[in-house]
Amino acid sequence: MKADGRSSADAGTVHSASPAFQIIVLGAGGGPNEDNVTGLLVRSTARQWTRDSVLAVDAGVHLAAIIRIFEEHLPRASVGKPNIPPSTAAPVNGDSPLPLGDAGRSKTYMTSGPFANLELPHETAKANATYVFRNLISTYLITHPHLDHVAGFAINTAALQQTLRRKRVAALPSTIEAIKEHIFNDIIWPNLSDEGEGAVGFVSYDRLVDGGNVALGDGEGRGYIEVCDGLAVKGWSVSHGKCMSHSQHGSYSSDPAETGYSPYYSRRSSRKDLSSGSLDSARSQSFSQAPEKKAYDSAAYFLRDEASGKEVLIFGDVEPDSVSMNPRTARVWQDAAGKISAGLLTGILIECSYDNSQSDSMLFGHLTPRHLVAELSTLAGMVQELALHDGKPGSPRKRKRASNGHKNPSEETIPHQRRPPSRHHVRRRTRSSVSPSTSIRRESPRHSSSEMALVTADEPDLIPIVEEDGGPRHKSHKSKNKHAMPRPLEGLHVVIIHIKDPLRDGPDIGNTILEQLQEAERETGLGCTFTISRCGTSLWL
C-alpha cells in the first residue's frame, strides 16, 4: 500500500517513499553505562510539534537525554519564521524540517537537531526539555519492566506536579503489574499512579492485549489502539530469557498466554512471618519449594502511522527462538511478513546486545548477529511463502489452542511456514549464523549493501543513504528454490538498539556488530540494510 498523499503544508514535498516516522534516539545502549540505556521518542511526520504528538518507547534514559539534545542545539535557535526551505523533500534519515504554527508570528524555533522547527516557549535547555516532557509526550509504551527500560521515567515523574493531565503507561498486563508492584509501591518509589493505596494520580495504566484487541479498529488498523496523536500500537509478547516462578513477570513454556503470579516465597509473606517469629519456617519454605523456570516476558510493538498506514516494528529485549524455552518471536514475524509483502513495514528496531563471541550459554535473553540473522531469515522465508501465493497465505492450519481454552482471534490460523524449532532440534543445531533449514541464498553481485548513515548532534541534519562500493566479490550461491525471491527483505531497514558496551580497549563494539551483520547478510542475501543507532540522532522511516 502506498502512503496517502499529504499537502506540502503538512510534510514538504510528499511522495510514496516519504518517511512516516521520526524516531529520536535518546538512548541506544543496553548498559552498563546508565546514561545510555534504552529510550526512544516517536512521532508521525504528518503531525506538527503539538500537545500529545510524541510517544516515548521505553525510558531507561529520558529527560536528561532530552536536555542534552537541547544543550547542543539551543544556540542555533532563531527568532522569526521556521527555517523551512520551500519544497523540501522528507529524507529517509536525519532531522527534517516540518512546518509548525503560525508562520507569520515572531517566535523562537529550533533550527537544527532532532527537535528542528519546534517552537521554543523558554530560554534555557532544561526548561524547554521539560516543556517537551510535560506537554508533547503523552504516553510511555514500555516493552518490559527492567530498570534499563523504565528507570528514567520513574525518576522523571517527580516533575509532573504542574501538568494538566496524567501520563499514560501502556504495556502488556504483566509489565503493568510489575511496575505497579515493584516500582510505584511507596517503597522503591512513591505510588504516583492512579491505582492502589495512597495513589497520587500522576500516572495511569493502559493494559494492552497480547496480539492486539480485535474489537478495536478496522481493516489494516484492526487490533490497534491509539497511543498518541497520529500513532496506534499493537503488541506481541516475546521471550527474554529465563526467570523463576516467583518473578510475577514470565510465561511458562507450556502456555505462552500464562503470566500469573505464583510466589513460592513472597516478600509480603516474609515480612508477616518475620514479625511473628517464624524465620525458620520462612527459610524452610523458601528452600523446600524450588522455583520453576519460566520465560521472562518482553514485548514487540507494531506502530502504525494513521495518516499513511505505514508501520515500524520496535522490539524490547528478546532472545532467539532457537534457544528459548518458550519460542514466541515467530508469531511476530508472521504478522510482519504480511506487512512487508503489502509494502507497509518500513523498518525494524531490534536489539543485538553482543557480538558473535558471546556463547549461547551467556546470552541472558539477548541476541547476537548470528541469531539476529537467523531470526530475520525466518521472516524472509515467510515473505517468500507469501510471494509464492501472490500475497495470499498457503493452506491454513489451525494453531494449537492455549491451555486456558481461549484463542486469540488474530491467531486462529497460520499458513504453512517455518515453525519455531523444537528444543530437541535446537540441541543438534550448529552455531552457524543461519541454520540450513532457514538459509536463503542467491547469486551475489559485487558487494553493494547499503547502510543508513547517522549523524551526531554537530553534523548536518539531513542524513543521506550512503552506498558502499568497491567491496570484495563473494562466492555466489544459487537458491535451491527456483521461485524464491532473490532478496526477500529488500528495502527493509533494520536498526540495532540495546548494544552492551564491554567497557574495554579495542574496536567499537557497535562497529564489530555491524560488520558481522553485514557479512552474514551478504552470505544469506536477505536484502535488508543494518544501522547502528546512536544517541541524539533521528531516524526517518
Side-chain angles (χ1 to χ4, degrees):
M1 178 185 296
K2 293 185 178 180
D4 294 333
R6 297 191 295 274
S7 68
S8 59
D10 290 328
T13 301
V14 177
H15 48 83
S16 61
S18 294
F21 302 89
Q22 180 190 6
I23 302 176
I24 301 173
V25 182
L26 300 180
N33 286 342
E34 71 275 15
D35 65 345
N36 183 23
V37 289
T38 306
L40 304 168
L41 299 180
V42 186
R43 73 184 187 96
S44 167
T45 59
R47 298 298 193 271
Q48 301 174 354
W49 292 107
T50 54
R51 180 182 293 274
D52 299 340
S53 64
V54 180
L55 169 71
V57 180
D58 284 339
V61 63
H62 192 60
L63 182 56
I66 300 174
I67 292 174
R68 283 197 298 269
I69 292 174
F70 274 97
E71 287 174 341
E72 178 66 27
H73 294 278
L74 194 60
R76 304 176 193 177
S78 65
V79 177
K81 298 181 179 181
N83 183 24
I84 304 171
S87 302
T88 300
V92 174
N93 201 1
D95 292 312
S96 171
L98 292 173
L100 173 66
D102 184 359
R105 293 179 298 171
S106 178
K107 297 288 183 179
T108 302
Y109 296 89
M110 291 290 288
T111 60
S112 66
F115 295 102
N117 294 299
L118 168 67
E119 184 179 316
L120 301 175
H122 303 288
E123 295 182 358
T124 63
K126 61 184 179 181
N128 283 301
T130 304
Y131 164 77
V132 170
F133 168 65
R134 288 175 174 167
N135 297 280
L136 271 59
I137 302 170
S138 63
T139 302
Y140 289 78
L141 186 63
I142 305 299
T143 61
H144 64 292
H146 280 167
L147 287 178
D148 58 330
H149 295 257
V150 300
F153 171 70
I155 295 171
N156 296 160
T157 52
L160 292 177
Q161 312 93 295
Q162 301 174 18
T163 55
L164 298 177
R165 67 181 73 183
R166 296 184 179 97
K167 292 297 182 185
R168 175 186 180 194
V169 173
L172 295 177
S174 57
T175 294
I176 295 293
E177 293 310 309
I179 292 173
K180 180 179 176 180
E181 178 78 11
H182 300 296
I183 296 180
F184 294 127
N185 61 0
D186 282 333
I187 299 174
I188 300 299
W189 199 250
N191 182 12
L192 301 183
S193 76
D194 60 354
E195 295 183 13
E197 184 178 353
V200 175
F202 289 172
V203 174
S204 65
Y205 297 125
D206 191 348
R207 294 163 175 84
L208 304 179
V209 176
D210 193 357
N213 187 342
V214 296
L216 299 175
D218 59 3
E220 297 290 346
R222 188 178 185 190
Y224 288 72
I225 184 172
E226 187 178 73
V227 282
C228 74
D229 186 20
L231 297 180
V233 67
K234 179 174 70 174
W236 289 97
S237 61
V238 295
S239 294
H240 175 30
K242 301 179 180 67
C243 64
M244 301 303 173
S245 63
H246 66 277
S247 170
Q248 172 176 351
H249 189 82
S251 297
Y252 290 104
S253 58
S254 61
D255 183 4
E258 182 181 348
T259 56
Y261 182 35
S262 303
Y264 78 102
Y265 177 44
S266 72
R267 291 180 175 84
R268 288 184 175 178
S269 63
S270 69
R271 285 196 291 269
K272 180 179 178 180
D273 291 337
L274 290 175
S275 63
S276 61
S278 302
L279 179 60
D280 292 338
S281 175
R283 284 174 175 169
S284 175
Q285 180 187 14
S286 67
F287 287 104
S288 63
Q289 301 181 28
E292 191 170 0
K293 289 184 178 180
K294 302 168 66 177
Y296 188 89
D297 289 337
S298 182
Y301 292 121
F302 286 95
L303 295 180
R304 186 174 189 270
D305 173 47
E306 295 177 355
S308 66
K310 299 289 186 178
E311 300 191 27
V312 294
L313 172 58
I314 302 179
F315 277 84
D317 295 358
V318 61
E319 66 182 349
D321 271 359
S322 61
V323 303
S324 178
M325 66 183 299
N326 186 3
R328 291 179 277 179
T329 307
R331 302 184 307 167
V332 182
W333 298 141
Q334 175 71 45
D335 201 352
K339 301 176 189 298
I340 293 174
S341 297
L344 298 178
L345 188 65
T346 61
I348 298 174
L349 280 73
I350 190 169
E351 71 131 283
C352 191
S353 296
Y354 308 107
D355 65 19
N356 279 335
S357 66
Q358 196 82 357
S359 67
D360 286 1
S361 62
M362 300 294 287
L363 290 177
F364 305 111
H366 296 291
L367 295 175
T368 63
R370 66 182 180 275
H371 288 300
L372 175 53
V373 171
E375 289 291 335
L376 292 173
S377 296
T378 299
L379 170 62
M382 294 177 179
V383 174
Q384 285 185 320
E385 182 75 11
L386 290 175
L388 291 176
H389 295 85
D390 296 325
K392 299 178 181 180
S395 302
R397 58 187 178 191
K398 293 183 179 179
R399 181 186 294 275
K400 183 179 179 181
R401 292 191 180 188
S403 59
N404 60 8
H406 298 286
K407 115 179 125 171
N408 189 329
S410 65
E411 300 177 349
E412 289 183 359
T413 60
I414 184 170
H416 285 296
Q417 303 184 8
R418 294 183 181 87
R419 297 285 175 168
S422 67
R423 282 178 286 172
H424 300 292
H425 176 71
V426 169
R427 293 190 184 100
R428 297 193 298 269
R429 178 176 289 185
T430 65
R431 290 184 180 177
S432 61
S433 61
V434 182
S435 68
S437 63
T438 58
S439 179
I440 299 168
R441 301 192 179 276
R442 63 181 174 90
E443 285 290 336
S444 299
R446 185 176 178 84
H447 168 51
S448 61
S449 62
S450 58
E451 170 195 355
M452 286 190 298
L454 293 175
V455 298
T456 54
D458 57 350
E459 291 178 318
D461 295 322
L462 299 184
I463 305 180
I465 295 288
V466 178
E467 294 290 339
E468 297 178 346
D469 198 8
R473 289 185 178 272
H474 293 274
K475 186 176 181 180
S476 64
H477 301 279
K478 294 184 179 180
S479 172
K480 295 180 180 180
N481 185 347
K482 64 180 180 180
H483 299 293
M485 299 169 62
R487 293 169 63 83
L489 302 184
E490 185 78 50
L492 181 67
H493 298 295
V494 180
V495 180
I496 304 305
I497 57 177
H498 201 271
I499 293 177
K500 291 184 176 292
D501 192 338
L503 302 179
R504 59 173 180 254
D505 295 335
D508 177 76
I509 184 63
N511 292 338
T512 300
I513 288 173
L514 181 60
E515 290 171 1
Q516 292 175 354
L517 287 169
Q518 290 175 333
E519 177 64 25
E521 191 283 324
R522 288 192 291 268
E523 290 295 320
T524 57
L526 295 175
C528 58
T529 60
F530 293 100
T531 299
I532 303 298
S533 59
R534 305 290 181 185
C535 295
T537 61
S538 283
L539 303 165
W540 295 82
L541 298 170

